[in-house]
Amino acid sequence: MNPAMRLESIERRFVQGEQRLTILDKAEMTLMPGEMVALVAPSGAGKSTLLHIAGLLERPDGGEILIDGKPCGTMDDEKRTAMRRRSIGFVYQFHHLLPEFSALENVMLPQMIGGQTRAQASERARRLLDYMRVGQRATHRPAELSGGEQQRVAIARAVANSPHVLLADEPTGNLDPQTSAYVFEALTALVRQSGVAALIATHNHELASRMDRTVTLSGGLIVPHSFG
């Protein structure tokens, strides 16, 4: 089985005044299809930077990102956007659903941008919403949904184009513990069923412990993390 994503010797540095801040220093990581990896690190350690680089939203200062075996480092912006749209799904702490559209339409939109017909997009959107157990809320706009429902719609939207990689930044961080557990269970089921590789940044150690493995950032490297 080939990796869904591989980060090779990733470097990222920032200059603040006279200081040069190293966030990533030849960091490496492999994500396999169907694998859930928790990213746990203190605030300011570079979790968001790592996710942005992995998601082709930010260019590293050095190294290579391979998605489904394809090197993305030298791609121009147009090709990076196409790769991101086709192969990467994003889930954030806040759902970022479009308020003027229904839950169904929010999940349809990325598919239609990707070239699906309205009928095709609608059929898959309904299946995903049903799978996330919010199908009965398909015609409701985000403001009419609970926080947990909004986030489950956001997850459905993130995987609507069948990405190889799912990147999530505190996807349950804005929810109460019971709702957080419910959303995490739905996310886990979706990852296992679809075979997408998931990298999930979280401060919740209990949720992290339920994933396949946990990594952290230390000295600019991505290293295994234990809770002992």
Side-chain angles (χ1 to χ4, degrees):
M1 185 184 297
N2 294 322
M5 172 179 282
R6 175 151 180 78
L7 305 180
E8 297 182 345
S9 298
I10 298 297
E11 299 178 10
R12 192 71 175 104
R13 295 176 177 83
F14 296 97
V15 176
Q16 292 182 337
E18 296 182 0
Q19 282 190 320
R20 191 173 181 182
L21 190 63
T22 298
I23 302 297
L24 300 170
D25 187 13
K26 298 193 181 303
E28 304 214 332
M29 182 180 191
T30 298
L31 274 178
M32 300 302 292
E35 182 181 35
M36 293 184 77
V37 178
L39 174 60
V40 176
S43 296
K47 295 193 302 295
S48 294
T49 297
L50 176 60
L51 288 174
H52 287 169
I53 289 173
L56 307 182
L57 293 168
E58 188 175 319
R59 291 184 185 269
D61 296 315
E64 182 62 274
I65 304 106
L66 294 102
I67 298 175
D68 201 28
K70 299 179 182 68
C72 303
T74 58
M75 286 181 176
D76 60 28
D77 289 344
E78 186 176 344
K79 289 181 179 176
R80 284 167 68 89
T81 298
M83 174 65 80
R84 195 163 55 238
R85 185 180 295 152
R86 182 174 63 249
S87 298
I88 304 172
F90 297 91
V91 182
Y92 300 98
Q93 180 173 351
F94 299 100
H95 56 79
H96 296 301
L97 297 172
L98 297 173
E100 66 271 28
F101 293 104
S102 69
L104 182 71
E105 289 166 338
N106 266 279
V107 182
M108 288 172 61
L109 279 170
Q111 299 177 72
M112 293 173 69
I113 291 170
Q116 297 293 307
T117 67
R118 187 174 186 85
Q120 289 170 328
S122 177
E123 181 181 355
R124 177 161 173 77
R126 288 186 186 280
R127 285 204 310 271
L128 285 169
L129 291 175
D130 285 342
Y131 193 86
M132 297 300 291
R133 296 187 228 173
V134 283
Q136 76 283 5
R137 309 286 278 168
T139 60
H140 291 68
R141 293 186 180 185
E144 300 171 309
L145 304 175
S146 69
E149 288 170 339
Q150 290 171 345
Q151 199 63 320
R152 280 180 278 156
V153 173
I155 293 168
R157 179 184 60 183
V159 299
N161 282 337
S162 302
H164 296 110
V165 178
L166 180 66
L167 302 173
D169 195 356
E170 297 287 350
T172 63
N174 201 35
L175 306 172
D176 64 78
Q178 184 175 356
T179 305
S180 173
Y182 190 84
V183 169
F184 180 76
E185 286 171 11
L187 175 59
T188 301
L190 190 62
V191 169
R192 303 306 188 204
Q193 186 273 335
S194 67
V196 67
L199 177 61
I200 301 171
T202 181
H203 283 107
N204 188 322
H205 285 196
E206 194 276 324
L207 291 184
S209 68
R210 292 160 58 188
M211 299 189 215
D212 297 312
R213 58 189 171 101
T214 302
V215 298
T216 190
L217 294 168
S218 177
L221 298 173
I222 303 168
V223 298
H225 178 77
S226 65
F227 299 103

